[in-house]
Each structure stands twice: as structure tokens, then as C-alpha cells.
């Protein structure tokens, strides 16, 4: 490490001086990880139930991932999309088998995956000669990313306001008002975009009633359905894709986060009908699906397919049981939401804030979203023992806050 920036205080000072201050960082410096644990610069250990916001799907320093990434780095990292390489097709094939959507477009983040979905939906209708079909219907409480397209479909006014005007043709409906789709989704709507479980908005799974209304609106008007599974997909919610749990059949799925297990990669998965509407040159990216990203994705998919999904179903049930117990004992928790290893505990804003701070002081990393929701996103290969440890810390904190 550069000596000048190796000390914790210096690290923070150098950032304060030279980095764009868009992040309100928590004042710890993390330097290494092992499984579900992170260590700071003073070698303090933390149980990581944030997973880099759902990215560290295999935990930290996963041996197979480390070996594969290092092996790939010594062979070939990147070639651009001008040429073939042996791995992109393999990842596409594996994702097709997992999702039932036969074609993939690779990019580098969740935001870009959403951006791709929006562009492909528009292109679909353009190809079909319906150039007026440009409106997107998104949901209140949604989060889809920060680029102009994805931000246009993101609901949070504080994120949107400073960057207006955004795409004008986005309408928002409340996910608690299924009837709203009857009027808002008309023949000018290109696509409805949903998060099957709204993540940043506070861990809200779509209700069966709303999902049925989405399905009905798509059938009635023929508009496309985009499922943003960037956070809830790829096992996080206990199943490969949560849209299938809701009986939804998306035309496009955006994924990211867990797929590279720490190596940046995102993808758009789509039906053949959508793919048929896209022509060479319509969209692209320099890095998308490079060898490093694809090699990491293959390690992740191997882990999920070889026992990972089965294990996480068990650990999900175990976590749910533990959280229900806490909610029964501590009235500070007013609701538990989510599925699988994507959980939100609703509290008052102050309690949520103190819970996160005090848990960190006791060595558990969790985070707060939508102001009052404590979010738990442990690595997908977390063990029951680690869940016990996390729940014990949470209980100590809740006990402390009671008095
Ligand atoms: C549902 C959803 N979509 C899109 C994004 C944006 O992904 P990224 O930050 O990787 O660009 C996120 C990030 O939290 C997300 O939760």
C-alpha cells in the first residue's frame, strides 16, 4: 500500500481532498475479507450482512473465485466486443437455462442493464413500426439506477429533482393500487418496469394482486414487461428469479450485483422476440462481458448450481425463523419483509439508525434503506452459525435500545 495513504486518517483525508463527495461513507477502512467476515485496517472483524450491497454473493476471498480470476488475469482479461472469446457464450447459455430467456446482452452494472432494457423495449416497438409507443410505466418506491434512463424510471424525488428534465414519458403508479394500471397502461406504453422485490425502496415484494394486474395490463395492451432483478435476482430472494414466484413472465430481465460476485458485470436477458427486433450496432459497450467478468460469472453460476441454491433455501428459512422470533420479542420491529436472504426490518427512523450504528459497534454490518428499514443482505453462502451470530448481535442491540 502507498505509505502516504496507508494510515486510516490519511486515507480519509486524501479522499476528502480528492474524491467527488457523493458518498457519505461510514468511517471504517476495510482492507480484507474472508467468507462472511470483513476486517478493517486495525484488523477489527465484522460479520458482513451487507455484502457490498448484495454483490459479494460468495462472500469474500472465495477460493475458487480468487483462483479463477487470477488464472484469467494471467491468460487474457479483455478483448472488446470486436472479437469472439470462449466465455461469453457459455455464460449466456447458462443464464438462458436458468431464466428461460434465450438471449443475453452483457454490460458492467445493474444500471446499465436497466438502461439496456429500456432501450431494447423502445427499439422493439420502433422495429415493429409503432414509433409512438414510447411510454414507460414504473412504480412508486422504485430504484433502477442513476443514469438518465434508469433515473427516469426511479421514483425517489431527491435523486431525480436536480437532474430534470429526465425522460418525459415515464408514468409512476403505486404498487398498492393495482387498478391504476387499468388507466395508466394504454396503447402508448412500451413497457412496464418492476422490481419483483423493491430493494432500495424498503424491501417490498410485489403483492400477488399487483402482479396479476401487471400481467393483465401486459396481455391487454401487448406492452413488454421488464423485471429489474438486479438486487433480488440470482438466488438473493431464495430462487433464481423472483418474478417467477410472482407468476410473471418478463420479456426482459436486468441482472447485476451477485452475478460477478465482486467483479463488475451486468446483463439483460430477453426473449427471442425482443432479440429479433435489435440489429447489430443498436447498442454496445467496450467492457461488457469481458473475459474477467465472464470467468467470475461462471464461478458464481457453478456455485449456485452445485448446491448453492439448495443451501440458501435452508439458510433463508433459518434466517426468517430467527427474525420472526426477534419481531415477536421486540415491538421496535413493526414489520419484516422480503424473501430469502433479502430482508428488511421496518422500525422508526431513529431506531433503524441506532440499530445499524450499534450493530456495527458490536461487529455486525447491516444497513438502512428508505429511512426506516434495516436491510440484511448476507452473502448467499452464509452459514446457519453465522446467521445465529448476526441475530445474537441484533438481539443485544434491540435489548439495549429498549432501555
Ligand atoms: C433494483 C436495482 N436496479 C438497479 C440498480 C443499479 O445497479 P448498479 O448500482 O450496479 O448500477 C440497483 C442498485 O442498487 C438496484 O437495486
Amino acid at each position: 500500500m502507498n505509505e502516504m495513504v496507508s494510515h486510516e486518517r490519511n486515507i480519509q483525508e486524501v479522499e476528502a481532498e480528492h474524491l467527488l463527495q457523493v458518498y457519505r461513507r461510514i468511517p471504517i477502512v476495510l482492507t480484507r475479507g474472508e467468507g462472511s467476515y470483513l476486517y478493517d485496517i486495525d484488523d477489527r472483524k465484522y460479520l458482513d450482512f451487507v455484502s457490498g450491497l448484495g454483490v459479494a454473493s460468495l462472500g469474500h476471498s472465495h477460493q475458487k473465485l480468487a483462483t479463477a480470476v487470477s488464472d484469467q488475469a494471467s491468460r487474457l482479461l479483455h478483448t472488446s466486443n470486436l472479437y469472439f472469446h470462449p466465455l461469453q457464450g457459455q455464460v449466456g447459455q447458462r443464464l438462458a437455462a436458468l431464466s428461460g430467456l434465450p438471449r443475453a446482452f452483457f454490460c458492467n452494472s445493474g444500471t446499465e442493464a436497466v438502461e439496456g432494457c429500456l432501450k431494447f423495449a423502445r427499439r422493439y416497438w420502433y422495429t415493429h413500426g409503432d414509433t409512438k409507443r414510447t411510454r414507460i410505466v414504473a412504480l412508486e418506491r422504485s430504484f433502477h439506477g442513476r443514469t438518465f434512463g434508469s433515473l427516469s424510471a426511479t421514483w425517489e424525488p431527491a435523486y431525480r429533482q436536480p437532474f430534470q428534465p429526465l425522460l418525459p414519458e415515464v408514468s409512476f403508479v403505486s404498487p398498492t393500487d393495482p387498478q391504476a394500471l387499468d388507466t395508466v397502461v394504454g396503447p402508448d406504453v412500451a413497457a412496464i418496469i418492476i422490481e419483483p422485490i423493491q430493494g432500495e425502496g424498503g424491501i417490498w415484494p410485489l403483492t400477488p394482486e399487483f402482479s396479476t394486474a401487471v400481467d393483465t395490463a401486459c396481455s391487454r395492451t401487448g406492452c413488454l414487461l421488464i423485471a429489474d432483478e438486479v438486487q433480488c435476482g440470482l438466488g438473493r430472494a431464495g430462487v433464481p428469479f423472483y418474478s417467477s414466484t410472482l407468476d410473471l413472465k418478463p420479456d426482459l430481465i436486468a441482472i447485476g450485483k451477485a452475478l460477478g460476485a465482486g467483479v463488475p458485470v451486468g446483463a439483460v436477458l430477453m426473449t427471442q422476440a425482443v432479440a429479433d427486433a435489435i440489429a447489430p450496432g443498436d447498442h454496445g459497450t467496450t467492457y461488457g462481458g469481458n473475459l474477467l467478468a465472464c470467468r467470475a460469472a461462471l464461478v458464481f453460476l457453478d456455485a449456485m448450481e452445485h448446491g448453492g441454491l439448495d443451501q440458501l433455501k435452508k439458510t433463508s428459512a433459518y434466517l426468517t425463523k430467527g427474525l420472526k422470533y426477534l419481531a415477536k420479542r421486540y415491538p421496535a420491529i413493526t414489520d419484516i419483509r422480503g424473501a430469502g436472504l433479502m430482508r428488511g426490518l421496518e422500525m422508526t427512523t431513529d431506531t433503524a439508525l441506532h440499530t445499524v450504528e450499534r450493530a456495527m459497534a458490536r461487529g455486525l454490518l447491516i444497513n438502512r434503506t428508505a429511512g426506516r428499514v434495516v436491510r440484511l443482505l448476507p452473502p448467499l453462502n452464509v452459514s446457519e452459525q453465522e446467521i445465529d451470530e448476526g441475530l445474537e448481535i441484533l438481539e443485544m442491540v434491540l435489548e439495549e435500545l429498549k432501555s
Side-chain angles (χ1 to χ4, degrees), residues 53 55 108-114 142-146 150 154 194-200 228-232 254-257 265 342 375:
L53 294 172
V55 167
N108 314 291
S109 66
T111 306
E112 281 176 68
V114 169
S142 65
F143 182 85
H144 296 293
R146 307 286 203 137
S150 60
T154 290
I194 52 142
E195 289 160 85
I197 302 180
Q198 296 186 309
E200 302 304 299
D228 178 349
E229 298 242 12
V230 168
Q231 190 166 149
C232 67
I255 52 173
K257 291 195 189 277
V265 56
M342 176 175 184
R375 174 169 51 178

Side-chain angles (χ1 to χ4, degrees), residues 289-325:
N290 80 6
L291 289 110
L292 179 69
C294 287
R295 189 72 188 269
L298 286 171
V299 174
F300 168 74
L301 291 168
D302 276 347
M304 282 301 107
E305 283 161 20
H306 298 144
L309 269 171
D310 296 334
Q311 187 202 326
L312 80 83
K313 277 187 185 135
K314 288 191 199 130
T315 45
S316 297
Y318 194 75
L319 176 64
T320 307
K321 205 168 127 203
L323 292 175
K324 281 190 176 156
Y325 164 83

Side-chain angles (χ1 to χ4, degrees), residues 30-80:
L30 299 168
T31 51
R32 73 187 173 92
E34 218 179 284
S36 298
Y37 295 92
L38 284 167
Y39 295 82
D40 73 10
I41 198 162
D42 301 315
D43 221 29
R44 190 154 182 248
K45 190 176 176 183
Y46 300 89
L47 180 58
D48 181 13
F49 278 15
V50 176
S51 306
L53 294 172
V55 167
S57 47
L58 301 178
H60 304 284
S61 311
H62 185 269
Q63 207 42 61
K64 282 193 183 144
L65 180 63
T67 307
V69 162
S70 137
D71 174 66
Q72 198 57 52
S74 61
R75 282 168 199 267
L76 187 60
L77 284 174
H78 178 83
T79 57
S80 85

Side-chain angles (χ1 to χ4, degrees), residues 138-144 153 155 172-176 193-207 210 228 231-232 242 246 337-338 342-344 369-370 373 375:
L139 303 190
E140 292 177 7
R141 289 196 306 237
S142 65
F143 182 85
H144 296 293
W155 185 67
F172 289 93
V173 297
S174 164
T176 59
I193 181 166
I194 52 142
E195 289 160 85
I197 302 180
Q198 296 186 309
E200 302 304 299
I203 317 289
W204 294 96
L206 289 192
T207 60
F210 194 83
D228 178 349
Q231 190 166 149
C232 67
Y242 199 74
L246 299 172
R337 292 192 294 268
M342 176 175 184
R343 291 288 172 179
T369 188
V373 179
R375 174 169 51 178

